[in-house]
Amino acid sequence: MDAIGAALSENQQRVKELRQLLQKASYAYYVLDSPIMEDSVYDQLYHELLALETDFPELITPDSPTQRVGEKPASQFHSVRHNIPLYSLENAFDSADLVKWQERWRRVAPDIHEFEYVCELKIDGSALALTYENGLLVRGVTRGDGITGEDITQNVKTIRSIPLRLELDDPPPTVEVRGEAFLPLSSFETINQEREQAGEPPFANPRNAAAGTLRQLDSRIVAKRKLDFFAYTLHIPVGGSRQSAVSEGEVQLDLLSNSADVESEHIPVPNARYPIPQTQWECLELLQDMGFKVNPERSLCSNLEEVQEYCNRWLTERHNLPYMTDGVVIKLNSLALQEQLGFTQKFPRWAIALKYPAEEAPTVVEKIRVNVGRTGAVTPLAEMRPVQLAGTTVSRATLHNRDRIAELDIREGDTVIVRKAGEIIPEVVRVLYELRPPGTQPFEMPAHCPECGQPLVKPEDEAVTRCINASCPAILRKGLEHWASRQAMDIEGLGEKWVVQLVDNGLVRAIADLYDLTIEQLLTLERMGQKSAQNLVEAIENSKSQPWSRVLYGLGIRHVGSVNAQTLAEQFPSVEALAQASIEDIAAVYGIGNEIARSVHEWFQNPANQALINRLQTAGLKLAGEVSPVRDSGNAPVNQPLSGKTFVITGTLPTLKREEAKALIQAAGGKVTESVSKKTSYLVVGEEAGSKLEKARALGIPQLTEAELIQLLNASGD
């Protein structure tokens, strides 16, 4: 078989797998009301199939999901034919796709030189088609397959933001309105809490909850769940004319309103007391006049640059909205131009939906291996086919522990759904067992450490498997990297590649060995030059001046982060004081609990750790600090102006390093944490602030600039 034939055979099998999975997902969503995957995952698989069929058109079959508009409606409701058929919108995933789209429609209308775009947020809910006769709501229908939908009029009437009567003195005989029913996030959380209390499975996301709610046979349940609705387009038939409607997948709709040819014939609407819209923007304004809620975050843009600015803005700001949105719908504003451009076989040429990067995506597990951390925790990792996720390329994901492996039943070769936990750490959410190749074997955690060969142990009260060999090279490497990190001893130049060589060459067998290194020894390392060796020796020597709290943090004691280390160093002003303290003494410190206290106490009871402390003292490190602040009987600091205040720092500050700002806050009695929560008092904001700023805004937490922080510190010191 030649190379072309082999590629065709391989892709033919993949096309078959994709079709089976997509068809099963569509059936589960549309017919059973029991989704098995998120929209973003469906989109990824769909576009993989579309790309393969584009490259190998001979693989296209009539039953392929790419050849269909939608799926069957649920059989529990009365099916009705849409007055206006609904078509899908083409998807774009980046600015390059938008440019290509503009080039395509301009080839169809080369004489058009002046135009505008309307940008609207793509609401993540469930599409509805509403029919009004003489101003009264007479029918509400789901999208269905785009030709036929489900009549859920009684349920639609429970949605308060849908007017039962249009607010027009002289309404048209017939009005078609399309929009999105959705669940506000607050309602979604309440519903899931109630379902969990009742022993029912929670909804996966607000969109599934909205769709499930609309299909309730009891409209009283629908009313209780407080669905909301945004209208975004309408059609007023004039002179018997009907135009095609458009739907973005199963969500975003768009209808043409009063086509240009009808308007040019000057067919009147008898006694009409409202303007006939000529643009999409005017349609939205008329919808508001009729009494509909229209999303206020829309924008009129004069070019693609402004469109991209709008999309970039809402990529981050959408997380502050009280509802879910996963993209932007862009439409040409002129209805006459829409009419001129018309449709392809499946899409309107005059509209497109920009989808934001998926927060979940499918990929294939190529290998499962384990990683040994600095505390000895053995963590299984999935090495995967690289995939774009939330704007970055992901090729590895944590599998947490033995229990999670068993729960997922994950195997090499599996297709999995991966996401970023907390928008930072990639993790596997679930396995798509339907795509599991034959002959796979369950993964078993190793019985021995892959680094040192010693037996692994799993404490009864923990889910984590551990290597307890203190001399394990993996534990030593991770411990050295932690010791040299910025929040610990801040040894500039001591990165991962040098740590690996130092351990592998036997130059460092414990942290204290760093302080015995010479330039001559370092020069034996691969690609280590004279200047680099001299700089590293100086950086190691300079780290001796770091305070006792940083040394304590650098030791890598389990559960002791930088904040806890600072707290303990304040209460126990020397290593001797902390080493001699009982579990009860340590646990009594404000902000320190029993788990941390036990971990610290056990660490100092270990003879190997005691020997390490002695060597660090001999090397000249600071293992004692200033006397801790006076504390009241509750162990809370007194006479400190920022006592009880919790700060989070995000972005790059103009003049202060983050550690300097942190030290100033702590010196005034404040606490600095890494994550924003309801307990955060202030967020200190610098340039290029990230998701912490978004969360702080959502929680209503006050923000401070560096100047305002300094002003607060100065005022507190008066």
Side-chain angles (χ1 to χ4, degrees):
M1 182 182 296
D2 59 19
I4 296 177
L8 182 62
S9 177
E10 179 181 348
N11 287 308
Q12 189 172 19
Q13 179 60 33
R14 180 59 176 165
V15 164
K16 182 179 178 181
E17 293 174 349
L18 290 168
R19 284 178 186 157
Q20 290 175 345
L21 184 59
L22 291 170
Q23 287 163 354
K24 183 173 182 178
S26 294
Y27 180 80
Y29 183 87
Y30 291 105
V31 179
L32 303 180
D33 285 340
S34 181
I36 61 173
M37 67 175 63
E38 285 72 16
D39 300 336
S40 60
V41 175
Y42 185 98
D43 287 343
Q44 292 275 346
L45 297 175
Y46 180 92
H47 282 280
E48 182 183 350
L49 175 60
L50 185 63
L52 287 171
E53 291 181 345
T54 300
D55 292 339
F56 300 93
E58 60 270 35
L59 298 180
I60 298 176
T61 59
D63 64 340
S64 174
T66 64
Q67 306 302 303
R68 303 182 62 175
V69 173
E71 297 294 332
K72 294 180 180 179
S75 58
Q76 295 93 333
F77 290 92
H78 176 59
S79 296
V80 296
R81 191 175 182 85
H82 284 295
N83 291 331
I84 306 168
L86 309 177
Y87 293 89
S88 297
L89 284 184
E90 182 181 4
N91 285 336
F93 294 93
D94 54 32
S95 58
D97 288 343
L98 293 179
V99 171
K100 292 176 183 177
W101 167 66
Q102 179 173 271
E103 291 173 349
R104 287 195 298 272
W105 75 254
R106 295 200 70 175
R107 283 197 294 268
V108 179
D111 297 331
I112 300 298
H113 302 292
E114 294 184 5
F115 52 86
E116 294 175 312
Y117 293 114
V118 175
C119 291
E120 303 170 54
L121 294 179
K122 181 178 174 295
I123 308 302
D124 207 9
S126 190
L128 293 180
L130 309 176
T131 301
Y132 288 80
E133 293 181 356
N134 297 316
L136 293 177
L137 176 64
V138 297
R139 193 173 78 164
V141 183
T142 64
R143 177 183 184 273
D145 63 2
I147 302 298
T148 303
E150 304 149 2
D151 189 335
I152 56 167
T153 305
Q154 287 303 113
N155 288 347
V156 167
K157 288 182 176 180
T158 68
I159 303 175
R160 301 283 181 151
S161 48
I162 294 179
L164 300 180
R165 178 188 291 273
L166 299 178
E167 295 183 9
L168 291 175
D169 294 335
D170 186 16
T174 303
V175 174
E176 296 276 349
V177 175
R178 303 298 165 98
E180 199 78 6
F182 63 94
L183 268 176
L185 293 176
S186 57
S187 299
F188 173 69
E189 292 172 1
T190 300
I191 291 169
N192 269 352
Q193 289 174 2
E194 293 173 351
R195 290 177 68 85
E196 289 175 353
Q197 291 170 1
E200 300 174 345
F203 285 116
N205 53 55
R207 176 181 175 179
N208 292 343
T213 298
L214 287 170
R215 286 178 164 134
Q216 288 288 329
L217 297 177
D218 188 346
S219 60
R220 292 172 296 182
I221 297 177
V222 184
K224 182 180 177 182
R225 291 186 177 175
K226 299 179 180 178
L227 286 166
D228 208 339
F229 180 82
F230 280 133
Y232 39 69
T233 192
L234 76 156
H235 173 73
I236 305 173
V238 180
S241 172
R242 297 242 181 226
Q243 297 294 337
S244 294
V246 176
S247 128
E248 197 301 293
E250 297 74 43
V251 184
Q252 183 74 35
L253 295 162
D254 184 24
L255 285 80
L256 293 174
S257 172
N258 288 350
S259 63
D261 60 334
V262 171
E263 180 62 18
S264 64
E265 295 172 8
H266 303 289
I267 298 177
V269 180
N271 302 317
R273 298 183 183 178
Y274 50 86
I276 302 298
Q278 302 299 312
T279 65
Q280 168 65 12
W281 194 263
E282 291 173 0
C283 285
L284 296 174
E285 292 178 333
L286 179 55
L287 282 167
Q288 282 187 304
D289 294 340
M290 288 178 170
F292 288 96
K293 179 188 272 189
V294 176
N295 195 301
E297 310 301 346
R298 59 192 184 275
S299 179
L300 189 61
C301 303
S302 59
N303 51 53
L304 275 189
E305 288 73 21
E306 293 182 9
V307 168
Q308 191 61 57
E309 289 176 4
Y310 177 92
C311 296
N312 292 343
R313 171 192 168 199
W314 286 105
L315 174 61
T316 54
E317 291 192 14
R318 65 192 171 111
H319 298 297
N320 299 325
L321 294 168
Y323 49 81
M324 294 293 291
T325 178
D326 62 352
V328 173
V329 172
I330 303 106
K331 308 168 188 173
L332 280 162
N333 191 32
S334 168
L335 299 182
L337 181 53
Q338 291 183 12
E339 178 73 9
Q340 178 182 346
L341 292 173
F343 293 75
T344 65
Q345 184 176 355
K346 295 195 301 179
F347 305 125
R349 292 188 177 92
W350 42 266
I352 196 167
L354 177 75
K355 303 290 284 287
Y356 285 133
E359 296 178 358
E360 293 190 356
T363 187
V364 176
V365 176
E366 297 179 334
K367 186 175 180 60
I368 299 176
R369 64 177 183 84
V370 295
N371 180 61
V372 183
R374 65 180 175 84
T375 63
V378 178
T379 305
L381 294 172
E383 294 185 348
M384 309 170 299
R385 187 178 299 166
V387 63
Q388 284 292 314
L389 189 63
T392 61
T393 300
V394 173
S395 59
R396 296 193 303 173
T398 179
L399 298 174
H400 298 291
N401 51 52
R402 184 194 305 264
D403 294 343
R404 182 59 174 163
I405 289 276
E407 179 185 350
L408 288 170
D409 183 25
I410 188 171
R411 307 179 185 185
E412 293 180 355
D414 275 342
T415 298
V416 298
I417 304 304
V418 63
R419 73 178 175 196
K420 282 191 175 180
E423 300 181 355
I424 299 174
I425 304 172
E427 67 174 357
V428 172
V429 181
R430 63 184 179 281
V431 177
L432 301 180
Y433 302 108
E434 297 85 354
L435 294 182
R436 172 170 286 170
T440 60
Q441 297 297 320
F443 177 79
E444 295 289 340
M445 289 286 288
H448 294 80
C449 176
E451 293 280 350
C452 67
Q454 294 297 307
L456 299 176
V457 300
K458 182 181 178 298
E460 291 184 3
D461 59 342
E462 294 185 18
V464 178
T465 301
R466 294 187 183 278
C467 174
I468 57 174
N469 175 20
S471 300
C472 176
I475 296 176
L476 177 57
R477 287 197 299 268
K478 296 294 184 181
L480 287 170
E481 290 174 24
H482 178 73
W483 177 264
S485 66
R486 289 185 61 185
Q487 288 186 298
M489 306 306 289
D490 195 15
I491 303 177
E492 187 175 353
L494 186 56
E496 179 183 1
K497 70 173 184 177
W498 298 127
V499 166
V500 169
Q501 288 198 61
L502 288 171
V503 174
D504 290 351
N505 288 301
L507 295 179
V508 173
R509 293 184 173 85
I511 289 173
D513 290 340
L514 287 173
Y515 297 91
D516 296 331
L517 287 173
T518 64
I519 294 177
E520 290 71 27
Q521 287 176 314
L522 292 177
L523 288 174
T524 64
L525 302 181
E526 184 178 353
R527 297 187 179 181
M528 174 68 79
Q530 179 74 30
K531 184 63 175 178
S532 296
Q534 183 177 340
N535 289 341
L536 183 53
V537 167
E538 290 178 358
I540 293 172
E541 181 66 24
N542 292 337
S543 72
K544 294 179 180 180
S545 63
Q546 296 289 2
W548 156 226
S549 61
R550 283 188 173 231
V551 175
L552 178 57
Y553 172 65
L555 292 173
I557 302 173
R558 287 185 65 197
H559 308 307
V560 178
S562 58
V563 174
N564 292 331
Q566 176 73 29
T567 301
L568 289 169
E570 290 176 358
Q571 181 65 24
F572 301 97
S574 68
V575 68
E576 290 83 1
L578 184 57
Q580 295 169 9
S582 66
I583 295 177
E584 292 74 19
D585 291 337
I586 301 171
V589 176
Y590 181 75
I592 304 296
N594 288 327
E595 185 176 25
I596 298 174
R598 187 177 297 107
S599 179
V600 172
H601 184 266
E602 290 176 354
W603 193 92
F604 279 101
Q605 302 309 304
N606 186 301
N609 295 334
Q610 294 171 358
L612 172 62
I613 292 297
N614 290 334
R615 289 192 61 194
L616 292 176
Q617 283 181 317
T618 302
L621 277 81
K622 291 187 176 180
L623 299 180
E626 297 179 359
V627 178
S628 62
V630 178
R631 296 175 179 263
D632 61 17
S633 58
N635 287 317
V638 297
N639 297 326
Q640 290 189 290
L642 297 187
S643 177
K645 302 293 184 183
T646 300
F647 294 75
V648 174
I649 305 171
T650 184
T652 303
L653 300 180
T655 63
L656 293 174
K657 292 183 179 179
R658 184 171 298 194
E659 291 304 313
E660 293 172 340
K662 180 177 177 180
L664 289 172
I665 293 169
Q666 291 173 335
K671 181 179 179 181
V672 181
T673 62
E674 293 299 319
S675 59
V676 175
S677 70
K678 293 180 180 179
K679 297 180 180 180
T680 303
S681 306
Y682 297 100
L683 178 72
V684 182
V685 182
E687 293 182 4
E688 299 181 0
S691 59
K692 293 177 183 178
L693 177 57
E694 301 165 20
K695 188 171 183 180
R697 286 172 175 166
L699 295 174
I701 293 168
Q703 290 110 51
L704 300 175
T705 63
E706 178 189 289
E708 290 170 333
L709 171 64
I710 294 173
Q711 185 178 2
L712 180 65
L713 290 167
N714 290 338
S716 65
D718 292 343

